[in-house]
Amino acid sequence: MTDTITFDERVAIVTGAGGGLGRQYALELARRGARVVVNDLGGAVHGEGASTRAADAVVDEIVAAGGEAVASYDSVSEPETGEAIVEKALEAFDTVDIVVNNAGILRDKSFAKMSAEEVDAVIDVHLRGAFNVSRPAFAHMKDKGYGRFVHTSSNSGILGNFGQANYGAAKAGLIGLSNVLAIEGEKYDIRSNVIAPVAMTRMTEDLLGAFADFVDPAQVMPMVVYLCSEQNRHTHEIFSAGGGRYARFFIGMNEGWFAGAKRVPSVEELAEHLEEIRDISAFEVPASSNEEINLLGRQFQS
Ligand SMILES: NC(=O)c1ccc[n+]([C@@H]2O[C@H](COP(=O)([O-])OP(=O)(O)OC[C@H]3O[C@@H](n4cnc5c(N)ncnc54)[C@H](O)[C@@H]3O)[C@@H](O)[C@H]2O)c1
């Protein structure tokens, strides 16, 4: 099949692109013509240490295949270093069109045993890291009237997973960030979406068991690369990708129970209607806070 989705003249930043999923995104974006900032701190899976090797190896791979890329070794976790990653794109390639917030670490612990340091370390990389890189990139994209963001969440953040309160909270926070970037970016053709991947990488090698052989990180790549493209018109959405399945997560809302305008129901009355309140056999997918308020307005009118 010939490539119809291309990235000529586009500049992409992929954080945490020295291995695992990020490497796949960087290689394919570059193969399709993007100039890529391959950012990676090069530390261990729990965040310790740093090395230039991981980012350099991916840049070498891209250049050997005839593509264009530069390495960035800054950590996403500080505002100044986040800004330096965007500066790298501006210095090397004059612009930034695409940001894939992908860098991540794990510090799993059951909630009762989790230290404040373990909470901070994970939130600093995943959630603050996405703010630190997106903020300067968004300002630039707004000026030029074009941008694509993909933020990396996880089923752990969307649905919950034992031992991952820090990671799950950070990953759910990324959905909040993406939703607002989608709304604030809309009139500048800035689109912001979320990916929840499932793939065998160093981060998941001890967790996937029998599934490990069936979830190649390359299989996540097409969804992310599409969301980065000019062809992608969708924004404010969350996609799951892994093991060859591509699907959409969404936040739905049922009609619920309407107690009546300007009326405070008793606790017992509310309890009587609990199944109606919980019933998800029919629902809508409101696209913003305003849409939820509109749904309420509809009930006032009826
Ligand atoms: N593999 C999965 O099944 C899965 C599932 C859900 C979410 N994710 C998310 O996907 C993303 C990629 O993870 P992966 O599975 O490829 O693991 P990975 O460990 O191979 O990749 C993460 C990369 O981020 C880099 N990194 C870590 N801290 C950094 C920092 N402060 N600044 C810059 N780079 C940093 C690491 O060096 C590493 O190369 C992560 O955000 C992860 O949470 C992965």
Side-chain angles (χ1 to χ4, degrees):
M1 204 185 279
T2 51
D3 294 344
T4 54
I5 296 176
T6 56
F7 294 88
D8 301 332
E9 308 301 319
R10 296 291 180 206
V11 174
I13 294 171
V14 183
T15 69
L21 288 159
R23 171 176 164 271
Q24 297 290 336
Y25 311 151
L27 292 177
E28 186 68 8
L29 286 164
R31 197 186 70 72
R32 289 173 181 268
R35 291 165 291 166
V36 181
V37 176
V38 176
N39 162 261
D40 206 296
L41 178 63
V45 73
H46 297 120
E48 305 89 356
S51 157
T52 56
R53 274 199 304 274
D56 283 344
V58 175
V59 169
D60 289 349
E61 230 177 318
I62 290 174
V63 172
E68 267 190 88
V70 290
S72 140
Y73 317 112
D74 284 305
S75 172
V76 296
S77 62
E78 304 288 333
E80 300 74 26
T81 45
E83 198 150 350
I85 296 169
V86 176
E87 271 304 312
K88 186 91 192 181
L90 299 179
E91 270 165 31
F93 304 127
D94 287 331
T95 191
V96 57
D97 302 286
I98 296 160
V99 171
V100 182
N101 284 310
N102 167 79
I105 59 166
L106 284 182
R107 296 273 174 98
D108 291 3
K109 221 29 111 50
S110 64
F111 188 56
K113 294 186 180 143
M114 190 174 282
S115 68
E117 199 276 330
E118 285 159 343
V119 173
D120 287 346
V122 168
I123 289 181
D124 282 353
V125 175
H126 293 273
L127 185 55
R128 291 209 172 85
F131 273 89
N132 295 336
V133 179
S134 302
R135 208 146 21 113
F138 187 89
H140 190 78
M141 291 171 179
K142 193 172 159 220
D143 286 345
K144 71 186 281 186
Y146 183 85
R148 296 288 182 269
F149 284 99
V150 179
H151 310 275
T152 310
S153 185
S154 162
N155 51 20
S156 171
I158 298 166
L159 304 169
N161 196 25
F162 191 96
Q164 294 196 315
N166 50 0
Y167 181 81
K171 289 307 203 187
L174 283 159
I175 295 171
L177 171 62
S178 181
N179 288 344
V180 175
L181 293 194
I183 290 170
E184 294 191 7
E186 197 163 12
K187 69 175 175 198
Y188 307 103
D189 194 12
I190 297 173
R191 294 171 202 269
S192 181
N193 291 286
V194 170
I195 185 84
V198 179
M200 160 63 192
T201 66
R202 67 176 193 174
M203 199 180 265
T204 52
E205 60 192 353
D206 300 329
L207 310 170
L208 287 168
F211 273 111
D213 283 348
F214 295 92
V215 286
D216 184 339
Q219 293 172 298
V220 176
M221 174 278 290
M223 189 81 238
V224 170
V225 170
Y226 180 76
L227 293 172
C228 289
S229 73
E230 199 171 332
Q231 280 87 342
N232 170 39
R233 308 316 295 162
H234 299 292
T235 189
H236 206 294
E237 297 193 0
I238 309 166
F239 296 93
S240 159
R245 186 198 57 188
Y246 305 91
R248 184 177 166 196
F249 272 118
F250 53 87
I251 297 169
M253 192 174 191
N254 65 2
E255 196 172 340
W257 167 63
F258 187 52
K262 296 188 178 180
R263 232 199 112 232
V264 181
S266 71
V267 180
E268 289 76 12
E269 198 184 354
L270 181 129
E272 273 170 30
H273 288 89
L274 208 56
E275 288 317 306
E276 216 177 313
I277 293 168
R278 294 187 60 254
D279 176 19
I280 52 170
S281 55
F283 58 83
E284 302 205 30
V285 182
S288 63
S289 314
N290 285 343
E291 279 197 19
E292 198 216 331
I293 303 295
N294 290 344
L295 291 181
L296 181 59
R298 216 160 68 194
Q299 283 177 320
F300 286 145
Q301 279 159 14
S302 68

